[in-house]
PDB file of all heavy atoms in Angstrom:
ATOM      1  N   GLY A  10      30.530 -27.509   8.225  1.00 45.00           N
ATOM      2  CA  GLY A  10      30.499 -27.016   6.850  1.00 45.00           C
ATOM      3  C   GLY A  10      29.584 -27.848   5.971  1.00 45.00           C
ATOM      4  O   GLY A  10      28.833 -27.328   5.173  1.00 45.00           O
ATOM      5  N   CYS A  11      29.616 -29.160   6.127  1.00 46.00           N
ATOM      6  CA  CYS A  11      28.744 -30.037   5.346  1.00 46.00           C
ATOM      7  C   CYS A  11      27.286 -29.779   5.678  1.00 46.00           C
ATOM      8  O   CYS A  11      26.448 -29.741   4.806  1.00 46.00           O
ATOM      9  CB  CYS A  11      29.081 -31.502   5.608  1.00 46.00           C
ATOM     10  SG  CYS A  11      30.655 -32.020   4.923  1.00 46.00           S
ATOM     11  N   ARG A  12      27.009 -29.598   6.943  1.00 49.00           N
ATOM     12  CA  ARG A  12      25.638 -29.320   7.336  1.00 49.00           C
ATOM     13  C   ARG A  12      25.148 -28.028   6.711  1.00 49.00           C
ATOM     14  O   ARG A  12      24.032 -27.942   6.231  1.00 49.00           O
ATOM     15  CB  ARG A  12      25.524 -29.214   8.845  1.00 49.00           C
ATOM     16  CG  ARG A  12      25.525 -30.523   9.545  1.00 49.00           C
ATOM     17  CD  ARG A  12      25.346 -30.257  10.988  1.00 49.00           C
ATOM     18  NE  ARG A  12      24.281 -31.098  11.481  1.00 49.00           N
ATOM     19  CZ  ARG A  12      24.041 -31.273  12.748  1.00 49.00           C
ATOM     20  NH1 ARG A  12      24.757 -30.641  13.643  1.00 49.00           N
ATOM     21  NH2 ARG A  12      23.078 -32.056  13.134  1.00 49.00           N
ATOM     22  N   GLN A  13      25.976 -27.020   6.718  1.00 53.00           N
ATOM     23  CA  GLN A  13      25.560 -25.751   6.149  1.00 53.00           C
ATOM     24  C   GLN A  13      25.278 -25.900   4.661  1.00 53.00           C
ATOM     25  O   GLN A  13      24.332 -25.338   4.151  1.00 53.00           O
ATOM     26  CB  GLN A  13      26.614 -24.676   6.396  1.00 53.00           C
ATOM     27  CG  GLN A  13      26.668 -24.252   7.842  1.00 53.00           C
ATOM     28  CD  GLN A  13      27.823 -23.330   8.123  1.00 53.00           C
ATOM     29  OE1 GLN A  13      28.780 -23.263   7.373  1.00 53.00           O
ATOM     30  NE2 GLN A  13      27.729 -22.619   9.238  1.00 53.00           N
ATOM     31  N   ARG A  14      26.088 -26.649   3.942  1.00 57.00           N
ATOM     32  CA  ARG A  14      25.824 -26.858   2.516  1.00 57.00           C
ATOM     33  C   ARG A  14      24.516 -27.613   2.308  1.00 57.00           C
ATOM     34  O   ARG A  14      23.759 -27.312   1.403  1.00 57.00           O
ATOM     35  CB  ARG A  14      26.990 -27.588   1.861  1.00 57.00           C
ATOM     36  CG  ARG A  14      28.147 -26.694   1.515  1.00 57.00           C
ATOM     37  CD  ARG A  14      29.124 -27.402   0.611  1.00 57.00           C
ATOM     38  NE  ARG A  14      29.803 -28.512   1.261  1.00 57.00           N
ATOM     39  CZ  ARG A  14      30.862 -28.401   2.053  1.00 57.00           C
ATOM     40  NH1 ARG A  14      31.369 -27.218   2.306  1.00 57.00           N
ATOM     41  NH2 ARG A  14      31.425 -29.461   2.580  1.00 57.00           N
ATOM     42  N   ALA A  15      24.240 -28.593   3.152  1.00 57.00           N
ATOM     43  CA  ALA A  15      22.985 -29.345   3.023  1.00 57.00           C
ATOM     44  C   ALA A  15      21.796 -28.422   3.231  1.00 57.00           C
ATOM     45  O   ALA A  15      20.822 -28.491   2.502  1.00 57.00           O
ATOM     46  CB  ALA A  15      22.952 -30.498   4.030  1.00 57.00           C
ATOM     47  N   TYR A  16      21.859 -27.566   4.219  1.00 68.00           N
ATOM     48  CA  TYR A  16      20.764 -26.631   4.442  1.00 68.00           C
ATOM     49  C   TYR A  16      20.605 -25.676   3.269  1.00 68.00           C
ATOM     50  O   TYR A  16      19.503 -25.308   2.912  1.00 68.00           O
ATOM     51  CB  TYR A  16      20.962 -25.846   5.740  1.00 68.00           C
ATOM     52  CG  TYR A  16      20.843 -26.691   6.986  1.00 68.00           C
ATOM     53  CD1 TYR A  16      21.644 -26.454   8.088  1.00 68.00           C
ATOM     54  CD2 TYR A  16      19.928 -27.739   7.062  1.00 68.00           C
ATOM     55  CE1 TYR A  16      21.537 -27.223   9.231  1.00 68.00           C
ATOM     56  CE2 TYR A  16      19.814 -28.512   8.200  1.00 68.00           C
ATOM     57  CZ  TYR A  16      20.627 -28.240   9.282  1.00 68.00           C
ATOM     58  OH  TYR A  16      20.509 -28.997  10.399  1.00 68.00           O
ATOM     59  N   PHE A  17      21.707 -25.282   2.678  1.00 73.00           N
ATOM     60  CA  PHE A  17      21.636 -24.390   1.521  1.00 73.00           C
ATOM     61  C   PHE A  17      20.852 -25.055   0.394  1.00 73.00           C
ATOM     62  O   PHE A  17      19.977 -24.452  -0.206  1.00 73.00           O
ATOM     63  CB  PHE A  17      23.039 -24.014   1.034  1.00 73.00           C
ATOM     64  CG  PHE A  17      23.039 -23.338  -0.299  1.00 73.00           C
ATOM     65  CD1 PHE A  17      22.679 -21.991  -0.405  1.00 73.00           C
ATOM     66  CD2 PHE A  17      23.368 -24.027  -1.462  1.00 73.00           C
ATOM     67  CE1 PHE A  17      22.663 -21.355  -1.633  1.00 73.00           C
ATOM     68  CE2 PHE A  17      23.353 -23.391  -2.689  1.00 73.00           C
ATOM     69  CZ  PHE A  17      23.005 -22.059  -2.765  1.00 73.00           C
ATOM     70  N   TYR A  18      21.148 -26.324   0.098  1.00 75.00           N
ATOM     71  CA  TYR A  18      20.465 -27.013  -0.994  1.00 75.00           C
ATOM     72  C   TYR A  18      18.992 -27.261  -0.672  1.00 75.00           C
ATOM     73  O   TYR A  18      18.138 -27.203  -1.551  1.00 75.00           O
ATOM     74  CB  TYR A  18      21.182 -28.311  -1.352  1.00 75.00           C
ATOM     75  CG  TYR A  18      22.535 -28.070  -1.971  1.00 75.00           C
ATOM     76  CD1 TYR A  18      23.688 -28.586  -1.400  1.00 75.00           C
ATOM     77  CD2 TYR A  18      22.658 -27.282  -3.118  1.00 75.00           C
ATOM     78  CE1 TYR A  18      24.924 -28.343  -1.970  1.00 75.00           C
ATOM     79  CE2 TYR A  18      23.894 -27.035  -3.684  1.00 75.00           C
ATOM     80  CZ  TYR A  18      25.020 -27.566  -3.106  1.00 75.00           C
ATOM     81  OH  TYR A  18      26.246 -27.311  -3.667  1.00 75.00           O
ATOM     82  N   GLU A  19      18.694 -27.553   0.585  1.00 75.00           N
ATOM     83  CA  GLU A  19      17.293 -27.723   0.972  1.00 75.00           C
ATOM     84  C   GLU A  19      16.534 -26.413   0.788  1.00 75.00           C
ATOM     85  O   GLU A  19      15.436 -26.405   0.239  1.00 75.00           O
ATOM     86  CB  GLU A  19      17.192 -28.193   2.415  1.00 75.00           C
ATOM     87  CG  GLU A  19      17.623 -29.637   2.596  1.00 75.00           C
ATOM     88  CD  GLU A  19      17.693 -30.046   4.048  1.00 75.00           C
ATOM     89  OE1 GLU A  19      17.430 -29.212   4.940  1.00 75.00           O
ATOM     90  OE2 GLU A  19      18.015 -31.210   4.296  1.00 75.00           O
ATOM     91  N   CYS A  20      17.119 -25.326   1.242  1.00 76.00           N
ATOM     92  CA  CYS A  20      16.479 -24.016   1.078  1.00 76.00           C
ATOM     93  C   CYS A  20      16.310 -23.678  -0.397  1.00 76.00           C
ATOM     94  O   CYS A  20      15.266 -23.181  -0.812  1.00 76.00           O
ATOM     95  CB  CYS A  20      17.286 -22.926   1.771  1.00 76.00           C
ATOM     96  SG  CYS A  20      17.219 -23.041   3.561  1.00 76.00           S
ATOM     97  N   LEU A  21      17.313 -23.966  -1.186  1.00 80.00           N
ATOM     98  CA  LEU A  21      17.241 -23.723  -2.633  1.00 80.00           C
ATOM     99  C   LEU A  21      16.107 -24.540  -3.253  1.00 80.00           C
ATOM    100  O   LEU A  21      15.363 -24.036  -4.101  1.00 80.00           O
ATOM    101  CB  LEU A  21      18.573 -24.057  -3.300  1.00 80.00           C
ATOM    102  CG  LEU A  21      18.684 -23.759  -4.782  1.00 80.00           C
ATOM    103  CD1 LEU A  21      18.542 -22.257  -5.052  1.00 80.00           C
ATOM    104  CD2 LEU A  21      20.019 -24.267  -5.320  1.00 80.00           C
TER     105      LEU A  21
END
Side-chain angles (χ1 to χ4, degrees):
C11 290
R12 283 183 130 167
Q13 289 172 341
R14 279 192 293 278
Y16 292 144
F17 168 77
Y18 292 121
E19 288 173 359
C20 290
L21 184 63

